[in-house]
Amino acid sequence: MTQSLWLVPLPVVVPLVAAGLALTFARRPRLQAVISVSALTIVLGVAIALLFQADGGPLVVNVGEWSAPVGIALVVDRLAALMLLVSSIVLLGVLAYSIAQGASDEANTDEKAPISVFHPTYLVLAAGVADAFISGDLFNIYVAFEIVLGASFVLITLGGTRERIRSGTIYVIVSLLSSVIFLVAIALIYGATGTLTLAQLAERLPAVDPTTQLVLQTMLLLGFGIKAAIFPLSAWLPDSYPTAPAPVTAVFAGLLTKVGIYAIIRTQMLLFPGGRLDDVLLVLAILTMLVGILGAVAQDDLKRLLSFTLVSHIGYMLFGIALASDVGLAATIFYVAHHITVQTALFLVAGLVEQRGGTTSLDRLGSLAKLSPALAIVFFVPALNLSGIPPLSGFLGKVGLLQAGIDRATPLAYAVVAAGLVTSLLTLYAIVKAWNKAFWQPAPEPLPEVRTPRSMFAAATSIVAVSVSITVFAGPLYAYAESAAADLTARSPYISSVLVNGDRGDGVSDGDSADASDSADASDSADGTADDAGTAGTGGEDS
């Protein structure tokens, strides 16, 4: 299949251009909505095309035609393509939900959503997420995280209530701490290797002192672990997410923690394949699963319950990363795709519950199954999926992870398998408790007579349908995840695609790039890690 490299930057460029247009039309919310929907629809189409094209090998674009490692490389391999596709679907679905909610708020409540700010900020968030997935450079990943952070703070504090400002402040402080750790790690890595290009780091890091490698690996894990909400770095999440508007909470819970998981997968597999911290990650996986789900069981608020289940299920993904096998990674990639859609769907449905019942407190809700049977169904399906009930995708992903753990056949791996089974059972218990209290038990007081807007319901149902479709198309999706996992463990497809000529990528920046390449070679020679003499760029052509 002919690779269309011009598609690679579009998931970042299109939302940014659209954000500028949306800002220009700040006084025309309907036109803003059209711009936002059009932009994310284009991104979804591009993501679908990239998914098929990346199946033939990674797509690499050197920004400004500067050859890697001098310039910034944008790389779409199977993992990045899959993440782009799932994130595009979720972002578009949540956007549709938020537009419907905005229209409903204007018509029925005195809480006016600042739509003029929402659209450009949401598009900037989409661009930042895409940039994190396709960046082939550590510093560019940092920039992407900062773009996401800036947009996130605006979105999480929409409405400007005291509670939202408080939760947004906690979110920003924790995220800034993560950013500082990440930035220091970047500086140390550059000092140790002379490069920040991921492909070249994969070649140079093995020559670095093992103790220094361990420090660098630990710092990256700390930075990404905060963003992914891994225990004990997860305390901020249940207090930050539930207070935000429902669509914001949904996209944060479904997607943003997975950006951290993606960064961990990419760096652990590509830069630190030795597995020196695998046992530590397995222990953290156990603690993340159990602490998270025990917190969920203790909650009497639906949004907080879902937030704690989000934390606990991050443990499953960490489990697969720690195993670092093809089977474990394939299950993790599949589970990430499943969890993004299911968790987003549940938070959107929680927003519908709040709209219909006036609250998300399980002690004050009740009788929703009688009042709104359709709402009961759209909650029930993703809830069972999250719990891992056969034959849904949550069950398939967990089976793959548990099988990978049994294959490892170590006491610690067996302990994580046991923790995974207990977590799955407690997830089912927590979900059934919420289902029973909100939908079947009589409400302690009559619920307000509020009609749920059909457009909001349709948007939430579409994400539920997407989560179910992962079960329907589990075979092809799991096969794609297995191929992505094989690429990750082999490492060579990614490295050789970026560094086409062995020590540098293609491009037309011959003079400057050659100088930089010579400098890099001189640095290697000084460290006793010299590679072959740098070769000149070839002015590669898009095929």
Side-chain angles (χ1 to χ4, degrees):
M1 177 183 293
T2 301
Q3 291 185 325
S4 302
L5 298 181
W6 58 274
L7 291 173
V8 172
L10 292 186
V12 179
V13 173
V14 171
L16 286 179
V17 172
L21 284 175
L23 199 58
T24 302
F25 296 104
R27 295 181 181 276
R28 302 179 65 181
R30 291 186 178 179
L31 184 55
Q32 280 190 320
V34 171
I35 293 171
S36 300
V37 172
S38 301
L40 292 185
T41 302
I42 292 172
V43 172
L44 175 58
V46 170
I48 293 172
L50 289 174
L51 184 79
F52 288 103
Q53 297 212 355
D55 204 27
L59 290 82
V60 181
V61 168
N62 298 300
V63 176
E65 289 294 321
W66 288 79
S67 307
V70 178
I72 296 173
L74 301 180
V75 187
V76 178
D77 61 356
R78 288 187 176 97
L79 174 61
L82 183 59
M83 295 297 289
L84 278 176
L85 176 61
V86 178
S87 64
S88 301
I89 294 171
V90 165
L91 284 165
L92 186 58
V94 172
L95 177 64
Y97 182 99
S98 65
I99 292 172
Q101 186 181 34
S104 174
D105 288 346
E106 287 183 359
N108 302 320
T109 75
D110 56 359
E111 184 182 354
K112 304 295 185 185
I115 299 296
S116 60
V117 175
F118 173 80
H119 284 285
T121 309
Y122 191 79
L123 290 167
V124 170
L125 178 80
V129 169
D131 194 26
F133 290 150
I134 68 176
S135 177
D137 178 282
L138 264 186
F139 189 77
N140 200 37
I141 293 177
Y142 170 80
V143 172
F145 281 2
E146 294 311 295
I147 293 173
V148 171
L149 172 60
S152 300
F153 179 69
V154 176
L155 292 173
I156 207 169
T157 56
L158 278 177
T161 64
R162 176 178 296 180
E163 191 65 19
R164 288 178 182 174
I165 295 293
R166 183 191 67 79
S167 61
T169 303
I170 294 173
Y171 177 78
V172 167
I173 290 174
V174 172
S175 296
L176 285 177
L177 175 62
S178 167
S179 297
V180 168
I181 294 173
F182 187 18
L183 191 59
V184 172
I186 287 174
L188 293 176
I189 288 173
Y190 188 79
T193 63
T195 184
L196 294 176
T197 301
L198 292 176
Q200 195 167 45
L201 280 173
E203 294 183 333
R204 293 188 175 184
L205 274 171
V208 175
D209 176 72
T211 303
T212 304
Q213 281 189 54
L214 189 60
V215 171
L216 299 177
Q217 185 179 7
T218 303
M219 291 193 69
L220 286 180
L221 277 175
L222 274 175
F224 299 148
I226 293 174
K227 294 188 180 298
I230 295 171
F231 182 84
L233 309 172
S234 58
W236 58 274
L237 191 149
D239 286 333
S240 299
Y241 283 5
T243 58
V248 174
T249 305
V251 78
F252 279 27
L255 194 54
L256 295 196
T257 50
K258 309 310 181 302
V259 176
I261 288 293
Y262 170 85
I264 293 175
I265 294 175
R266 181 67 73 194
T267 54
Q268 289 299 298
M269 295 302 108
L270 188 62
L271 306 185
F272 306 102
R276 297 177 66 186
L277 291 179
D278 284 355
D279 286 348
V280 176
L281 292 178
L282 286 173
V283 172
L284 291 177
I286 294 175
L287 294 174
T288 303
M289 286 184 206
L290 295 181
V291 173
I293 199 59
L294 289 174
V297 169
Q299 299 306 310
D300 59 3
D301 181 273
L302 182 57
K303 283 187 174 180
R304 286 185 63 84
L305 185 152
L306 292 175
S307 296
F308 275 99
T309 63
L310 167 63
V311 172
S312 71
H313 285 238
I314 292 293
Y316 285 105
M317 302 166 210
L318 194 61
F319 177 30
I321 297 171
L323 293 173
S325 63
D326 284 358
V327 177
L329 282 174
T332 299
I333 294 169
F334 181 85
Y335 199 79
V336 168
H338 143 82
H339 198 256
I340 288 174
T341 57
V342 166
Q343 200 76 46
T344 302
L346 281 170
F347 271 102
L348 290 182
V349 175
L352 296 178
V353 169
E354 187 174 21
Q355 181 96 7
R356 181 63 186 86
T359 180
T360 54
S361 171
L362 295 175
D363 292 334
R364 294 163 57 192
L365 287 170
S367 306
L368 285 176
K370 181 179 179 181
L371 297 173
S372 180
L375 181 58
I377 294 173
V378 296
F379 178 84
F380 187 64
V381 173
L384 288 184
N385 204 347
L386 181 71
S387 304
I389 298 298
L392 298 171
S393 55
F395 170 77
L396 300 175
K398 287 174 183 174
V399 167
L401 288 166
L402 298 181
Q403 181 61 54
I406 293 171
D407 291 345
R408 174 64 66 90
T410 64
L412 190 53
Y414 286 134
V416 187
V417 169
L421 292 172
V422 171
T423 300
S424 189
L425 291 174
L426 289 178
T427 301
L428 182 60
Y429 169 77
I431 289 296
V432 168
K433 183 185 78 171
W435 163 256
N436 189 37
K437 282 191 170 185
F439 291 92
W440 293 104
Q441 288 187 0
E445 297 178 2
L447 298 181
E449 292 294 333
V450 178
R451 291 180 63 84
T452 303
R454 291 182 179 179
S455 51
M456 286 177 65
F457 191 86
T461 303
S462 66
I463 297 296
V464 173
V466 170
S467 68
V468 174
S469 71
I470 291 181
T471 301
V472 176
F473 299 103
L477 179 59
Y478 212 104
Y480 198 91
E482 288 175 335
S483 299
D487 289 346
L488 287 169
T489 53
R491 301 168 71 226
S492 54
Y494 188 99
I495 297 171
S496 61
S497 297
V498 177
L499 304 177
V500 178
N501 299 308
D503 196 36
R504 51 183 287 112
D506 57 5
V508 296
S509 53
D510 295 343
D512 294 336
S513 300
D515 292 342
S517 181
D518 290 341
S519 299
D521 292 337
S523 175
D524 282 348
S525 299
D527 295 340
T529 60
D531 297 318
D532 295 336
T535 55
T538 59
E541 300 175 353
D542 294 355
S543 56

